[in-house]
Structures are given as structure tokens and as C-alpha cells.
Amino acid sequence: MVAGAAFADPEADFNLAEVSGNAAVTWGVDLDEGTTGFKNSTDATVKLNLVNSGTKSTEGEGIWAELGVKYDGSLQVKSNTDPVFDGGVASIDAAKLHFYNFYVGIKSGDTTVGEFKVPNAVYSSQTGVDNVVDPSHDQGIVLGYGDNKNMSFDFDFRSNKVESAATDGYWTGADGETYATLEELTKAGTTVETAVGTNGWTAGTAAGTDNYYTNDYGLAAEFKLLDSNEFLPGLFATVGGSFQINSKVFGLGASAGYKLALNETYYVKPTVGFTMSKADVSAEGDPTMTLAAGILFGWGDEADANAGVPYLSQDSAKKVTPGIGVAAYVPLSPSGTIQIVPSLYTGTLVENLTAAVLAEIDITEGADPAFGVAGGLKYAIAATDSVTVTPFAGVRFSKGATLGALTDANEANTDNGGKTDADAGAAAELLNVKVGFDVAGLINNTTFSVDWTSRDLMSDADGKSMLGTINVTCKIAL
């Protein structure tokens, strides 16, 4: 039995982490209203770093106890208006008793079974199947095996904690009945119950007390073949199930994929995920079954970033992988809407060119197909050794499909002088276009931009055109 401690401690690191800012002025023409005007904007941020991320944990071999404390993020004083503390969360990363490759985990659980998001070129977290484990059963232990390279197996035995609800105080009358107020008791023609120790009044209790002794248990098990395995590197698979004993909720999930390298750059990655669940296995009726699958022809790794082109440059479009992909979501039982989601992101495939497209086709029995698409491109042209001109263009169209904020008239098109498109919420039919160019390098730290951004070209709200705005901007950034 060997045990020790590993240190990569969170460390004090006092330094000026960031000083950034920008100032911009835009002169615009509202083509629909026939009006013009200036718009000024400024933003400045100063971050003073206090503590950096780190971990502190025990380590060992054979039979030993593991406890890991993890600090995520950097603790900073951040100021752009009023100073605030920003970032940094401390948590128990692991608490396990190790018996060689076997272990017993004693930390409250966040076990998932069946959850799988299909890799895609753009917005890879959009299509997939969900967790089938009741998250309320999170108190208990997990028995596991893992060799950190080939496979792992976890068996969870957990119980449910219940938060008590608030209760109201009440009066008990001599007639044995309860009354919300003394006035109601008096009107009922009775007197206050006078048993020793009660005096007729029972106080209420506040909500929030956790009861851990509920006799409400749940089981979950999951086996994983890791993509680093020695049998067939690049192949990964997961299969698992869960059952909540009292409520008789059942869930089953499986997923698999394979990253087949074609050469040092290009690869093909097919994936599939499946879930089946039933709210009460003793009740009549079929279980709910869903399938998600996809294939990605890629030439790069997934990045937690957006595509950086018009209509795919916001947080709602985050997670891109250089490649061409298509994902599908198919509800097997009961019937529902089938979603087919193709996408493209060039990454650095063509020097100086960035292009991205995300589309969605929704097929529902008895209804017309819905369709949505958002995408754009930009190309950096070196006019001189120091000056770069980057023309860009983008379009988005929706007819009933729900690409979230990407096809929401009010969420993704607010750069028209502060005005949104005409219809509230996601429009049934929507068409936006944006074209323009940036010029950088004429003056240090300065970008000049010209763009035309339409409003919804398929709308004629109040009989007005929806041509949008023409904007000319100068932005200085540090």
C-alpha cells in the first residue's frame, strides 16, 4: 500500500492580467425609415489576477485513498464599471478508495447514461440524445473499474434526498378540527384545544430541509470502451442502464463511434446514439425510444468557438470542427419530428478564407417540411504588407425550422440601429442578408468597416420595406 500527495496547488499570482478596450463610431442610414445618425460605443476592461487554477490531490498505488480538490478558473478583480470578483470555483474533484484497478467512489453523483451529442462541423452540441438517469438520485456510492486506457465500468447505488416543503401554522380546536386562523376557529363555534403542551397552536416550518432517509433507491451501470484502447484505437462505445426502484423508472442508453484516419490531416468519424426509457415499467404502453446518428468528414479538432462569419458568430453557434458533417435525430417511439442537420466549416483549409453553413430540415408526419439555414464567409486580402481588406457576406433563412437564436428575428439581428425584425419570436418565414468589408492596418489598432444589414426581407410590417441599414464604422481597439 503506497499513498502520497500530488501538488499543482492553486497559486497566488498577482499581476495585471488584462487591459483591453475599444471605441467605435458608426454613421448609419436606415433605408426603411429614411433617417440617419451616429452611434458611439466604448468598452474598457481591467483584470487583476489574484489566484490561478490548480489542484491538490493524494496519489498512490495498490490500495490507497484518493481525494482531489480542484480550483477552476482564475480569481480576478474585474472592472469595466464597478469592480467585482470574477471566476473561480473550488470543488471536490474525486473521492475514491482504490483497490488496484477497482475503486469505491464516495462523492455525490452526477451519473449520466445515454447522453450523447453527435459531432458536427458547426454547433456540435445541437443534435443528440439525452440522459435517462433521474438526477435526483445522487446520494451514495459508485463501484468501478478502470485502467485509464482501454475501458471503464461504473455501478451506482444511490438514494434520493427530498427537500421538505413549507408548512403553514394552524390552530386546533376542541372539536379536533384544524383552522388556519383563530378567527376561523371562533366562527366555527369551538374553543382552542387545551391539551398539555400544545395550547392549540402548531407552528409552520420553512422549506429547504433535506431529508436523506427516504428509502428511495436507484441503480445505474455503464460500461465504456475508450477511444485510446489498444484493441482498435479510435473506436469508442458506451452502454448503460438505470432503474429507480420506488418509482419504477427505467432507462437504457448506448452510443458508439469510430475515428478513421485517412491520412495525417483528414479523417471520417461516424457516430450513433440510442436511448430507451419508460416512466413506469409496470404501466401499460410502449417505451420512448430515440436515435441520433451522424458522420463527419473532418480535417481538424473541435474548438469551443464560433465560426466567426455573419450569422454564425454568436455564442449560440459555439463549437465548431473543421469539416463537413450531417447529423440526424429520429424519435422512434412515439413518433415525432425528425431533424436532419448538415453543416460545413472550412477552418484553415483554404488560406485566408473562412466559410461556414448550418442548416436544419424538420420532417413531421402530416405537416410540410420546415427548413432553416444560416451561414456566411469572409476572405482576408492583403492589399499591402500592412493593410488587409476582408470582405464578408452572410445569409439566414427560416421557414418553420428552429435553429434557436440563429433563426430568431429578435435575438440574432439587433445590429440595425438597435431595431429588431418585425415579428416577435422566431418568425415563420425569415430572410436576412448581410454584406460588407473590413479594412485593417491603415492606422495601427484601427479597423474601418462598411456593411449593409437587412431586416426581414420577407416581412412588410406596417406596409414598410425591410431593407435594413447601411453602416460605416471606425473602431480603435487595444
Side-chain angles (χ1 to χ4, degrees), residues 274-463:
F274 169 81
T275 59
M276 178 173 66
S277 60
K278 202 168 190 301
D280 185 346
V281 294
S282 64
E284 295 184 359
D286 296 327
T288 298
M289 295 185 290
T290 56
L291 177 72
I295 186 167
L296 174 67
F297 173 67
W299 49 84
D301 296 325
E302 182 182 85
D304 189 21
N306 60 60
V309 298
Y311 301 118
L312 291 176
S313 61
Q314 62 269 50
D315 286 346
S316 56
K318 272 194 170 181
K319 291 200 182 298
V320 293
T321 303
I324 301 172
V326 60
Y329 172 83
V330 182
L332 301 176
S333 175
S335 60
T337 299
I338 298 173
Q339 292 182 339
I340 302 172
V341 184
S343 66
L344 161 70
Y345 176 61
T346 60
T348 58
L349 183 65
V350 179
E351 188 176 5
N352 299 326
L353 173 69
T354 302
V357 178
L358 174 67
E360 179 183 317
I361 304 165
D362 293 343
I363 302 172
T364 306
E365 185 178 354
D368 293 334
F371 176 75
V373 61
L377 57 83
K378 62 182 180 181
Y379 186 74
I381 303 170
T384 69
D385 290 342
S386 60
V387 177
T388 301
V389 179
T390 306
F392 56 82
V395 64
R396 64 184 185 136
F397 170 78
S398 175
K399 185 175 181 180
T402 55
L403 284 170
L406 305 183
T407 52
D408 188 311
N410 289 319
E411 291 295 330
N413 200 36
T414 58
D415 50 357
N416 283 305
K419 294 184 179 180
T420 62
D421 288 323
D423 300 324
E429 291 189 342
L430 176 73
L431 176 62
N432 294 123
V433 177
K434 183 171 186 173
V435 295
F437 62 89
D438 297 330
V439 180
L442 286 172
I443 303 174
N444 65 305
N445 303 324
T446 303
T447 302
F448 299 94
S449 303
V450 178
D451 72 76
W452 168 61
T453 302
S454 80
R455 296 192 180 104
D456 180 9
L457 295 176
M458 301 187 73
S459 174
D460 60 351
D462 301 323

Side-chain angles (χ1 to χ4, degrees), residues 26 211 218 413:
T26 298
N211 176 19
N413 200 36

Side-chain angles (χ1 to χ4, degrees), residues 2-8 55-61 64-69 94-98:
V2 178
F7 302 95
T55 60
K56 186 172 184 177
S57 63
T58 58
E59 62 178 9
E61 297 177 354
W64 61 286
E66 177 186 4
L67 182 68
V69 178
K96 298 177 180 178
L97 299 174
H98 289 267

